[in-house]
Every structure is written in structure tokens, then in C-alpha cells.
Amino acid sequence: MKKSKLPKQALIILSIALVLVISTVMWSSAQITQDTEEEVQSTLRDVATQNALIVQQELRENFNLLYSLADAISVSPDAVNAKSIAAQLGSFVSTYEFKRIGFVSPDGQVISTDGYVQDLSSRDFFKDGMQGLPGITNTLQDRLGTPEPINVFSIPVYDQSDSIIGVLFATYRNQHFEEILGVQSFNNQGFSCLVNQDGDLIATSSNAPASLQEADRMSDYLTQDARNDQPLQDLHTLLQSSSSNGGYFYGGSQKYYYYAAAMDNLRSDRQWFALTIVPDQVLSSRSAPILFQVRLLILLIIVIAGCGTFAFVHSIRIQRRQLYRLAYVDPLTNGDNFACFKEKLSHCNGDCGFYVALDLQDFKLINNTCGVAKGDETLLEVWKLLQTGTHLGEFSAHINADRFILFLRDNDRCTLEPRLECLCQDISNLSTKLNIPKLFPLCGIYETADHKEIEQNYGKAVQAKYPIKGKRTRHYAFYEDLDIKQLSEDRLMEDVFEDALKNGEFQLWYQPKVDPVTGNILGAEALIRWKRPDGTMLSPGKFIPLFEKNGNITTLDEYVFRTVCAQQQRWLQAGATLYPISVNISRVSLYYSNVVDKYREILNSFRLDPKYVPLEITESATIDNSDISSLIEQFHEAGFTLLLDDFGSGYSSLSSLNVMHFDTIKLDKSLIDYIGDRNGEKLLLHITQLLQSFGMTITAEGVETSDQVEFLKNLHCDDIQGYYFSKPLPVNEFEDFVRKHTGL
């Protein structure tokens, strides 16, 4: 009995062991399938969200253009006719790839850039616009010109008294939405579409099923399969909730997963969603190889339990290594990423050291001028320098783009600063090695021994760079040296910038330029002021340097230029004598290769002679920009008059004036203040004689005394700008000044 029992007991134990092992393997199989499904769902969400962001950006840019054009039309509503539409709006059609742009008068009559005249009074977008509502239509079939699917953007147009004088619209080819949605995903097995909250289909990608492309609504497509009763109800509930989420439905023999990413509401009744859809076979194709291996393991376990167990454990280890690489290895440098940096540093709490947030100022110029591949090569070379520059127990990581972080264990600033100087110099020297624009690394530093909140510590290191960003005067700054109050004020100004621009808080003041002999007005310079809703007036010195750092200055530059053009147009239509009103262009705007074309388009939209809107370029902007000579030539070819502003403020190079052909030189106040000093007056005399010999006119800035005026008269200075004659004036006071100093 005992002998007979032993084999049976062994068999039972072996069977139990095999059942446990097989159960474990089967559980692992289900877990792998679940992980794969979650991975697909995560990717699905990311693709849908990205599509939504791209479409939102497209919508925002198109509406911003229409608002800008509406401002121009509202300047002179009596001039709205077919000829003015073609002149003011025609140039924007091809630039922004619209089919047409048109204006609908209150009686429903439309005039458009392609010459069509018809009655649109029955159209919903016209009715909404006359009620003060912007909008974009569902997909329509354009019956004018080439028949094709379109979407119509529309906004109301207000006159100077805030009364609606019509509706401005732009016809947008639906094909553009299809192209945006056409980005490949899931090896081109995934497809996307745009729907509104009622389930109406706006656009679909070209690889979507034909039955979906032919449908007008998602319900039309889903009701083709009887299994979609509940999925259809779930989708309807999701769309009506205006939130982002995922789900599934059936189509033919396939089950599909989708994720609906909600876009920012244009209007509460016009919610759009970007749907990205992927067939179930994507999940099975990803999990099938793994499941096959698992089933093979089951067979091998039955034959040789030990080998099967070992193989399974081995496969788990491989997956863990892959997950570790995804979680902690930067794909560009193959070094540590920020997650790995945080993990390592979290074990060093109590160890004092310095967080160093490093980036490369104006790095995008390298990508724009040398290509992304050269940009990646540059980042790899920087990473190598960081690796050689760190010691045992110190960490470094690539965060993203051109941003890096280091943790250095120096005792104090005295030992840290030489290391940073050496590192920054080595990075700058890469410019010669790689034949790229000059690199200028910036480091923000925060010292602490508390590593419980690593992201907050990094944020403080980033904040430390704030005062030096964009100046190219220092490579590093410490958080302890920050003016936190100023930082908070700057952040507030950044947050409200866009709303302030839309609400007209930025005002233009005009400082006259006067003939020093006759005292007659010769022109003016447009100066920006920011009047907050509480009545506080902010001077340019508070917000211009900030916007030069964060890039908002380009938008502000264009706003000032467009506003001056509009004001000149109003004076012209009122029959007033026009005087040149000069406008400043920041050095940041000059880095964009299309700056000349953009300013030419704005000027042409107002049908102004460029001589009435001269452009001022600061002397410091000519130092960093290697393309400045070419830009000056392009501006001249476009008909603009160019003024070199702040000449003599510290960067002057007289020899460069022979290369950069400016029309007018503006002598900085620092030179004017030399008047009364014998040597200073000699300097002014020889400078003005040299400039006049080049054929340049001369404007003196910052003139405040009668002695200065008399001296400048003797130098035959062409015009004077300063408090002696007038401070900067709001437009109504400037008009009064012009009437008093016209020489009439």
C-alpha cells in the first residue's frame, strides 16, 4: 500500500505544482494582454490629444487673423466694398491657404476676395455673427468656384462705437483638416476624425473606412452594426458631456477602440472633438507574439517544468529591463533622463549640493538654420561635456529639447563658479567645432540639502535664470539673488498679456520730432504704454525686457506697427497732413527670416506709403545678428526708411555704418548730455560731420535744454526729439501739438 501510494502522492504533488505554474503563466498572459491594451489606450489618447491640439492651434490662428482683419475693416466701414475687400483681404487668402475671405453687410450681401456677390442673410453663421457670436460651421459643400467640402470661419465686425457693421468670414478647405488628421499612427492602421458634440462628422483622415468617410454623422456609421446600441449611447453621452474619454464600437467583423479628445470650447454649443480610432487587431497583433511565447512556455513546462519556469523568469527580466530603459533612459543621449535623476537624488536627502538648470540660449536658431540633425548632434556633444564635467556622486540628466540638469556637490560658490565658467566656455567652443551659430549656455543654480521635492528644486533653479535670460551678459545666476517680488510681477504680466492685447490695454503715445530751427513738427516716434484695468500705467521699461525674453515681443511689435498704420490711415481719410511715425522693431523680431514679408503685408493691407511708417532698429540689435546687413537691404527693397536707434549707447562701431546702410541715425541721449563739455562737444561735432558725409540724416534724442537746442542747430541736426519740445503724448494731445506746430 505504501509503495502504491508514493507514486500517486508524487503525481498529485506534481499535478498541483504544474497547475500552480500553469495558472501563474496563464495569469501572466492575461496581465501581458492587459498591459498591451493599456499601452494601446495610452498611445490612442496621446494621438487624439495631439490631433486636438493641432486643430485647436489651426482654429486659433485663423480666428486671430480674422480679428486682426476685422480691426482693419472697422477703421473705415464706409470703405467696405468689392474693391477694398480685394485690396485689404486678398493678400491673406493665399498666405493662410483660405479659399476666399469675404465681408457680409447687415443686409446679408456678401463681397469676397474672389469676386462673388450674393445674399447670405439666411446662413446661420451670418445670423450668429450679427448677434455678436464667432463660429465655425460644420462641413458644407461649396457651390461657388470649384465644388469642394468647406468650413466657414466667421466673426462679427464692430465699428468704432462697438456696433456690429457686418460679418467677416473665411472659407476654409475641409481638405486641410483631413491633412492634419492624416498623420500615421499604429502603422497606419489607426485613423482619425473630427466630430461635434451632436456627433456630426466634420472631417476624416484618408485611411478611414469608406463607410465612415461617406457618413454625415457618427450615428449613421454606428447604426450599421446592431451590436452598437450601447456603444452609440455611450458615445452620445460622452460628446454631450464635453469631456475627453475613450470607448469602443463594432464595425463589420472588427471591434474598434477610440479616444475622444475635447477641444477648448469656441462656444458652449459648438464643442468639437478629435476622435482617434484603432481596430482591435492592433492589440492582438501586439500581444500575439508574446502570447505565442507564453503558450510555448506552457508546453515546455509540462515537459520540463524547471526549464519552462526558468524561461518564463528570463522573459520577465527582459521586459523589466525594457521598461527600465523606457522609464529612465533618455532616447537622444542614451543617458539618464529626469525620472532617473530624481530616483538617484531621492536617496541623497540631507546631502548639500547645487541644482544647476542648464539650457542653450536661442538654440532654436541652430535647428532652423542648420537642421534638426545638427541640433541633435550639438545636444549630444553638450551631454558628453556634462558627463566629463561631473565627479563621483554627482548626477546629470537630459530633460528635453536643450534643457539639462546637474547636481554638483561643491562646498560653496567659490569652488562652483570656476567649474561652471569652464563648462560654459567648453560648450561655447563647440560652435567652432560643429560650425554652428555661437552657443551661449545659461545656468540657473539653487543650493539645498532637501531633496524631497526635487521638481520644485529644479523649478527654483530654472527661475534663477530669469534675470539673465536673453541678455548674453552672464552665463549663470543663483536663486538666492532673485528679486522674488519682481519675478511675481513678471509672471503676472506674462499671464495677462494675451487678454491685455485683445482688450486694448496697450496704448500708443507719440513723441514729436521737431525742426530745431523753425520748431515745426517733422514727425514722431510711436511709444507703447500699458494701461491696466485699474488705471495703472506701466512704462515700457517694465514689460519690454520681459517680452523680449519670452518671445511675446514679436506679437507686440506687429501690434504696434499695425496700430500705427491704422492711425495713419485714419488721419489720411480725415484729410490731415501725414507725418512719418517711426516704429521700433525689437532684435528678437529680426531673427525671423520672414519679418520683411510680414511687415510688407501689414503695410499693404492699409494701402500706405512706407515712408510714413519708418522702422527703428536699436544699435544693440545689429551686434548679435549676422544677417542684419541682408535684412536692411530687404527692408530698403520693400520701400521702408530705416533709423538706427540709440546710436552711441555703448556698442557704436563707426566702421559698421559703411556696411549697414541706415537712412537716419538717432543720437542717444548719452551723447546729447555731452553738450556743455568741451571734449564731448568735439566728439559730437566730428560724429555728426562723419554721418552727414555718408548722406545720413540725424535725429537727436533726449534733448531737454535750450543750450542743447542751440548747439544742435549749429551742427545742422535735422530734427530733435525730447522733453524740451514735448514729452510722449496720447493721440489726442499729439494731434493738438501738430496743429500748433505745423508752420501754417
Side-chain angles (χ1 to χ4, degrees), residues 122-188:
S122 63
R123 297 295 179 89
D124 290 339
F125 76 83
F126 168 73
K127 296 176 181 178
D128 287 348
M130 293 304 294
Q131 295 297 319
L133 299 174
I136 178 171
T137 68
N138 291 344
T139 302
L140 310 172
Q141 190 68 24
D142 192 8
R143 297 191 296 270
L144 300 179
T146 304
E148 59 183 314
I150 60 168
N151 302 89
V152 180
F153 290 80
S154 61
I155 63 168
V157 179
Y158 297 86
D159 61 14
Q160 299 302 304
S161 61
D162 287 336
S163 298
I164 297 177
I165 61 172
V167 177
L168 184 66
F169 72 90
T171 301
Y172 184 83
R173 291 181 172 89
N174 186 258
Q175 175 188 353
H176 295 321
F177 285 137
E178 296 177 0
E179 292 171 354
I180 291 174
L181 299 174
V183 178
Q184 290 191 7
S185 60
F186 302 99
N187 295 324
N188 208 32

Side-chain angles (χ1 to χ4, degrees), residues 67-208:
Y67 280 116
S68 298
L69 297 179
D71 290 341
I73 290 177
S74 65
V75 171
S76 179
D78 295 336
V80 175
N81 53 54
K83 186 176 295 185
S84 65
I85 285 292
Q88 294 189 51
L89 308 181
S91 62
F92 295 93
V93 173
S94 60
T95 302
Y96 288 84
E97 298 183 342
F98 290 122
K99 187 172 183 181
R100 70 178 63 86
I101 302 177
F103 177 83
V104 189
S105 59
D107 61 0
Q109 295 298 312
V110 62
I111 48 179
S112 66
T113 54
D114 49 6
Y116 289 106
V117 178
Q118 58 177 324
D119 185 357
L120 296 182
S121 59
S122 63
R123 297 295 179 89
D124 290 339
F125 76 83
F126 168 73
K127 296 176 181 178
D128 287 348
M130 293 304 294
Q131 295 297 319
L133 299 174
I136 178 171
T137 68
N138 291 344
T139 302
L140 310 172
Q141 190 68 24
D142 192 8
R143 297 191 296 270
L144 300 179
T146 304
E148 59 183 314
I150 60 168
N151 302 89
V152 180
F153 290 80
S154 61
I155 63 168
V157 179
Y158 297 86
D159 61 14
Q160 299 302 304
S161 61
D162 287 336
S163 298
I164 297 177
I165 61 172
V167 177
L168 184 66
F169 72 90
T171 301
Y172 184 83
R173 291 181 172 89
N174 186 258
Q175 175 188 353
H176 295 321
F177 285 137
E178 296 177 0
E179 292 171 354
I180 291 174
L181 299 174
V183 178
Q184 290 191 7
S185 60
F186 302 99
N187 295 324
N188 208 32
Q189 296 181 73
F191 54 92
S192 301
C193 60
L194 289 178
V195 299
N196 64 15
Q197 63 191 48
D198 297 323
D200 298 325
L201 279 164
I202 309 299
T204 59
S205 58
S206 59
N207 64 333

